[in-house]
Amino acid sequence: MWAAFRRGEWYADGGEVRASAVRRLLLAPPPAEPGHLPRLRLRDVRVTGRLDLAEAVVAGTLRLRNCRFEEPPCLDGASLGALEMRDCVLPGLSAVGVTTGWKCEISGCRVEGPIDLYGASIGGTLHLENSRLTGHGERRGERALQLLCATIGGDIQAGTGLRVDGCTDLRDTSVRGSVIGCSAGREAYGSPACAGEGETAGRPPEPVAGPRHHGPVGER
């Protein structure tokens, strides 16, 4: 994994990777090999233990493909170039106050616990396409997706196969771009939604047409 990081290549051996080793690699990265950009790219691995990157500063993009997490990762207060998770399975994600310079992608993932992005600052688009989010974590009834007081610099892409079983809270969230919902109907979202003031519970957000929406999502 360290050699792949120094070359900016994918590490994909199909085995297990200790979360503590990933943390050490990101917090004290080795120098890049000549002519390469160092990047962490994990694919087809099982991450054991809790990946704790709270308040960590990671300059590049954290890319994870088809990975399984033993425990919910913690990115509280972390600063990342971007977060890209595709086709991963994880028992929740805590990213309170996380900052990404670019996008935050959680697409094609199965998250069997809450995603907490309270107060997050995402420089680009938040991608949630083709994911299955379930709010039944350690405490039943937890929100499947917590976006309270978040700031999104691009769009929220929440359509194309997204299913949410549990509550979604977007109160006081500011979206610079558009909120793209699912046109397949409310059955694609599960129930119920935890709507902010001015929103309708149980109804998925509709695609925004015409001028882009600025300011808190709950405003109309």
Side-chain angles (χ1 to χ4, degrees):
M1 182 173 67
W2 290 71
F5 176 87
R6 295 183 62 195
R7 295 190 296 268
E9 298 176 348
W10 287 98
Y11 178 75
D13 71 347
E16 294 186 351
V17 172
R18 295 193 314 276
S20 58
V22 176
R23 173 184 164 87
R24 286 198 304 271
L25 178 59
L26 291 173
L27 297 186
E33 290 192 5
H36 295 270
L37 291 174
R39 288 174 291 191
L40 180 66
R41 295 176 166 183
L42 298 180
R43 184 173 60 207
D44 302 328
V45 300
R46 183 171 184 266
V47 182
T48 61
R50 183 173 177 83
L51 179 59
D52 185 359
L53 294 176
E55 301 183 10
V57 177
V58 180
T61 299
L62 181 58
R63 286 189 169 92
L64 304 161
R65 303 277 179 86
N66 196 35
C67 294
R68 299 181 66 91
F69 286 82
E70 185 177 76
E71 299 183 33
C74 179
L75 305 178
D76 294 352
S79 178
L80 311 174
L83 175 63
E84 186 180 287
M85 303 180 72
R86 297 182 183 176
D87 304 318
C88 295
V89 178
L90 55 160
L93 172 65
S94 182
V96 175
V98 70
T99 298
T100 66
W102 185 33
K103 67 177 179 178
C104 177
E105 180 175 352
I106 307 172
S107 60
C109 295
R110 189 168 82 246
V111 186
E112 299 170 342
I115 295 179
D116 194 347
L117 290 167
Y118 176 88
S121 178
I122 298 171
T125 293
L126 173 61
H127 292 272
L128 298 168
E129 300 97 329
N130 297 310
S131 286
R132 172 72 178 266
L133 312 182
T134 304
H136 297 161
E138 295 178 359
R139 295 174 294 178
R140 285 188 76 84
E142 287 182 299
R143 289 173 173 84
L145 178 61
Q146 171 67 278
L147 265 174
L148 183 66
C149 299
T151 300
I152 313 297
D155 302 330
I156 295 181
Q157 293 285 345
T160 317
L162 172 66
R163 181 178 178 87
V164 180
D165 293 329
C167 294
T168 301
D169 195 341
L170 284 82
R171 289 174 297 165
D172 297 321
T173 290
S174 175
V175 182
R176 184 174 179 82
S178 302
V179 180
I180 310 300
C182 180
S183 60
R186 74 178 60 188
E187 66 275 5
Y189 276 74
S191 63
C194 293
E197 184 176 347
E199 297 176 338
T200 302
R203 186 181 67 190
E206 298 175 354
V208 176
R212 289 182 177 271
H213 174 72
H214 299 271
V217 171
E219 294 181 357
R220 294 291 184 269

